[in-house]
Amino acid sequence: METFCIGVAMAGLMLFAYRGWSIILIAPFFAVLAAVLSEFGVLPVYSELYMTRLAEYTKTYYPVFLFGAVFARLMEKGGLASAIAGKIMELLGEQRAILAVLLGCAALTYGGLSVFVVAFVMYPFGAELFRKADIPKKLLPATLWMGIFSFAMVALPGTPQIQNIIPSSYFGTSTWAGAGIGLFATILFMAAAMGWLTFRAKKLQAAGEGYGEHLEGGQRRERNLPHWTQALIPLGMVIVINIILSNPFHWDWGFHWDEASLEKFLPFKLSLLAGSVGKVQAIWSISVALILSSVAAAVIGRKRFIRKKENFLQTINFGAASSCAAVLNVASGFAFGSVLVMMPGFLPIKEILLGIADSAGPLVSAVVTTNIMCGVTGSASGGLTIALSMLGDTWAQMAAAQGISADALHRIVSIASVGIDPVPHCGALVTLLAICGLTHKDAYFDIVVLMGLKFLVPFLCVLFYTVTGIA
């Protein structure tokens, strides 16, 4: 019966989230429901287990959400994001509309903008190109999804997105870990996206289906944008500063964090104090990179703030406030999953997952487990964190015993988080469809097909690493 309660809780969370309920509200309710027949008291599960896990996630990753949201807001309101997107569209044009949207999304995502900001910025450009090329609009959400929520988010080495940062706090790696595997996965993601979307566009057009009659969304004719070369500076700063501070290649001239810097805090007996600098240096590095890049974005976009009479303080305050909702959404999903995996009823499921690790190795176990958790929560970052909190230490120990690189484990786990994450109740998917003015019925088929192709990518990456030894 305890396992049954866990199943009911999981199904309930998925159903209510799909119907639009905030996960911040419903996650604690269903977490408690999962524990109702366990040996633990209901209220202790809520106040001591659920809330503690939520606090742990927030404490560790909130700086990335905060500084990332402010940076993204400055890039958006300062016109820098639109300048970059517009230049990419101009260079590639309507003849290569699908490729232009993919690369435009990837450039902004890899540059450190919030994935939701990228969706808002890129949608009007993508809609205009698809309209000119007469590509059915129902393919636009799948194109945006692959450009934002795949290779640029988890595979490209050094990407500052949270899904690439989370594994670093478990394995002591950097955001540049597993560069070889990441580049291999990028090729696979791009091939899957271009292959399927191009095939579908030609097939639908041959059947007489074009863009369609849609009133919403055309390209915004914005004037007085910064020059695109200037707009690239903050994005480049995020990448360069991050690589210098995180120093993934152990350069002598690169920055080295003081390994003893946490020791002075030991007498305070802080309950959430990181175990070592290696667990948090990736967070420190990307936080500093985002802060300095935000200053550059503000300086470059200053004329637009004056000309458009945008309130600069309101802009950064809005970014800071929006980061709270973002981190709580993900932290709530993480806390819910943490409750589930600590219930006695989850033990049979955990034993199955450990059995996969024993028989197929830690990499395959990591891919399967991460996909399951991301599918349950409808969140790449939430499911990834749950999987790592449950079996991360076990995978790390097994990998070390078998001579598997921690960098390879980092990259493959990160890539696996975007396998089946666009389940129907996925919050990012629901938001993206709303931005495009479409429904699941209109556009979900192509996303499902690409979800199946994405699911295969981490397994191919495991094969690539096994055969070549390249991490």
Side-chain angles (χ1 to χ4, degrees):
M1 286 299 292
E2 291 179 353
T3 304
F4 174 76
C5 284
I6 290 174
V8 170
M10 292 170 59
L13 181 74
M14 295 171 67
L15 176 63
F16 275 71
Y18 177 70
R19 291 182 174 274
W21 287 72
S22 170
I23 194 171
I24 298 174
L25 175 64
I26 62 175
F29 173 80
F30 285 110
V32 167
L33 178 62
V36 72
L37 293 182
S38 71
E39 60 186 8
F40 306 104
V42 169
L43 290 180
V45 165
Y46 169 70
S47 66
E48 305 309 310
L49 179 52
Y50 179 89
M51 291 304 300
T52 296
R53 292 301 193 190
L54 185 143
E56 288 174 352
Y57 186 95
T58 305
K59 175 263 180 185
T60 303
Y61 301 112
Y62 181 60
V64 180
F65 283 87
L66 172 61
F67 301 128
V70 172
F71 174 66
R73 190 69 173 173
L74 288 170
M75 289 288 292
E76 177 189 12
K77 290 299 183 180
L80 283 74
S82 292
I84 296 168
K87 185 62 180 179
I88 293 173
M89 299 302 175
E90 177 188 331
L91 290 174
L92 295 176
E94 63 190 68
Q95 297 83 1
R96 293 178 287 274
I98 293 173
L99 178 62
V101 174
L102 286 172
L103 293 182
C105 291
L108 297 180
T109 302
Y110 188 64
L113 269 69
S114 161
V115 291
F116 295 105
V117 170
V118 176
F120 276 107
V121 169
M122 286 300 303
Y123 165 68
F125 291 97
E128 183 71 8
L129 275 185
F130 272 46
R131 189 193 305 276
K132 288 181 178 179
D134 203 29
I135 297 174
K137 186 184 178 183
K138 64 184 182 182
L139 296 181
L140 184 55
T143 308
L144 291 169
W145 186 272
M146 290 300 291
I148 301 170
F149 298 95
S150 65
F151 61 95
M153 191 170 79
V154 299
L156 284 175
T159 176
Q161 298 299 331
I162 191 69
Q163 293 79 6
N164 185 39
I165 297 171
I166 290 171
S168 66
S169 62
Y170 287 88
F171 305 135
T173 48
S174 77
T175 55
W176 297 83
I181 296 173
L183 293 174
F184 175 71
T186 297
I187 294 172
L188 295 179
F189 280 127
M190 279 293 293
M194 285 299 298
W196 175 255
L197 292 170
T198 302
F199 164 75
R200 278 282 286 167
K202 291 180 178 179
K203 183 178 180 181
L204 292 172
Q205 288 173 324
E209 185 173 348
Y211 182 81
E213 296 296 327
H214 299 280
L215 298 177
E216 66 278 11
Q219 183 172 336
R220 297 170 292 188
R221 300 296 181 183
E222 295 187 272
R223 298 181 178 179
N224 302 314
L225 293 174
H227 194 272
W228 67 273
T229 55
Q230 291 181 313
L232 283 173
I233 293 174
L235 300 189
M237 286 179 61
V238 172
I239 297 168
V240 172
I241 295 173
N242 182 32
I243 193 172
I244 292 174
L245 294 182
S246 60
N247 196 8
F249 307 114
H250 309 292
W251 294 316
D252 292 335
W253 56 268
F255 190 83
H256 293 79
W257 295 99
D258 181 6
E259 294 293 337
S261 59
L262 296 179
E263 293 179 2
K264 294 181 180 179
F265 292 91
L266 293 176
F268 298 156
K269 297 182 179 179
L270 301 174
S271 58
L272 298 181
L273 183 67
S276 67
V277 171
K279 298 288 187 180
V280 291
Q281 65 180 14
I283 304 290
W284 293 351
S285 300
I286 193 61
S287 295
V288 174
L290 288 169
I291 291 170
L292 296 178
S293 301
S294 294
V295 174
V299 172
I300 295 171
R302 68 189 184 283
K303 292 182 179 179
R304 185 171 174 82
F305 282 106
I306 297 172
R307 192 178 293 118
K308 297 275 289 186
K309 295 183 179 180
E310 295 278 5
N311 188 309
F312 177 74
L313 183 60
Q314 185 179 15
T315 296
I316 59 176
N317 283 346
F318 182 89
S322 65
S323 70
C324 298
V327 73
L328 282 177
N329 268 307
V330 181
S332 298
F334 167 66
F336 167 79
S338 297
V339 171
L340 259 60
V341 301
M342 297 185 74
M343 293 297 104
F346 193 81
L347 186 59
I349 302 173
K350 187 174 182 178
E351 289 177 347
I352 292 174
L353 296 175
L354 284 173
I356 295 175
D358 290 333
S359 59
L363 296 180
V364 174
S365 174
V367 171
V368 173
T369 305
T370 302
N371 267 290
I372 291 173
M373 294 304 160
C374 291
V376 168
T377 61
S379 166
S381 54
L384 175 61
T385 311
I386 293 169
L388 286 171
S389 66
M390 179 173 60
L391 292 175
D393 290 341
T394 302
W395 293 331
Q397 293 169 8
M398 293 180 69
Q402 297 177 23
I404 296 173
S405 166
D407 287 351
L409 185 57
H410 171 129
R411 185 59 52 203
I412 287 173
V413 168
S414 182
I415 292 168
S417 70
V418 296
I420 59 172
D421 60 314
V423 287
H425 63 282
C426 171
L429 175 65
V430 173
T431 301
L432 181 63
L433 290 174
I435 291 171
C436 294
L438 298 172
T439 65
H440 283 76
K441 183 179 179 181
D442 296 325
Y444 196 49
F445 171 75
D446 294 287
I447 293 174
V448 169
V449 173
L450 289 169
M451 178 168 63
L453 295 175
K454 286 198 305 173
F455 176 74
L456 297 176
V457 170
F459 290 102
L460 294 175
C461 288
V462 173
L463 180 62
F464 171 80
Y465 175 71
T466 302
V467 172
T468 66
I470 297 174

